Amino acid sequence: MKHVPHVLVGAPWPDDDLAVPVVQWRHLTKVLRKNRGDPVTYTDGLGRIGEGRLGSQTIVRGEETTVAKPSELTVVVAPPANKDRARFLVEKLAEMGVSWLTWLDSRHGEGKVPPSPKVFSWVLAATEQSRGAWLMETSAEPVTIGSMGEAVAVCDQAGGVQVPDCRIVVIGPEGGWAEGEVPPGVTRWNLGPTVLRTETAAVVAAARLLGRA
């Protein structure tokens, strides 16, 4: 079956034809070698998805539907020190349908928060690759674990193994939690017997929480 590309075109959609941004149009025509009249799917990143055809740097709209948000899960994570690992983290969480990604300001953290335009480009690529209907939202300002209250689960090898009932999961830095950094009363969750990299822990935690019945 011939590959049908998936394109994010931001709302609003006031016209029958949707203008495709230059960068995405170049990818469609130069990399994927698509031509006028070829089929394409598209989304506004807010749940609306459609099937159309390529026009002249436009998408001619077709049948459209609204897709429910896949989750309300927020992942709070200390940024990895390596840019490629940060990109992996962002792309995989976006592909999986995580609702929010927030960066964590932790005492032992060594990584820096990636620039917002770069993060958005990773989210965009992951959404188009996974044929998603919702863009994962991100926050440029890191938060501390103490600012989130107790309604979260913190990944920690000292915790229990049962999947917690929560909408916010926190993954700390590879250096571990500083003494007293995790507030009393917060649920601690053990992801397994091995020590996982930050991005691996984020994907494992998200997969388990999204897979709850």
Side-chain angles (χ1 to χ4, degrees), residues 6-48:
H6 187 63
V7 184
L8 186 135
V9 182
W13 291 351
D15 304 315
D16 291 337
D17 292 354
L18 304 176
V20 179
V22 173
V23 173
Q24 288 159 285
W25 185 254
R26 287 176 180 167
H27 181 74
L28 287 168
T29 57
K30 303 300 183 183
V31 178
L32 300 181
R33 300 185 181 278
K34 298 300 178 180
N35 300 302
R36 187 168 185 169
D38 284 346
V40 62
T41 61
Y42 55 95
T43 181
D44 62 356
L46 298 171
R48 186 160 47 165

Side-chain angles (χ1 to χ4, degrees), residues 22 46 64 72 75 91 97 100 118 120 148 194 213:
V22 173
L46 298 171
E64 296 172 358
E72 293 294 340
V75 176
E91 289 181 338
W100 267 96
K118 183 64 68 176
F120 178 78
M148 290 180 279
T194 60

Side-chain angles (χ1 to χ4, degrees), residues 46-117:
L46 298 171
R48 186 160 47 165
I49 194 167
E51 298 180 1
R53 294 193 175 272
L54 292 181
S56 178
Q57 200 171 326
T58 62
I59 294 174
V60 181
R61 295 169 65 178
E63 183 178 350
E64 296 172 358
T65 57
T66 299
V67 177
K69 201 169 188 178
S71 81
E72 293 294 340
L73 177 63
T74 294
V75 176
V76 183
V77 58
N82 180 278
K83 184 187 74 172
D84 291 336
R85 291 171 57 196
R87 177 175 182 171
F88 174 92
L89 166 68
V90 172
E91 289 181 338
K92 300 315 168 189
L93 294 182
E95 290 173 20
M96 295 168 68
V98 168
S99 181
W100 267 96
L101 168 62
T102 300
W103 301 107
L104 178 69
D105 179 9
S106 58
R107 298 179 199 170
H108 292 166
E110 298 179 355
K112 295 182 179 179
V113 175
S116 294

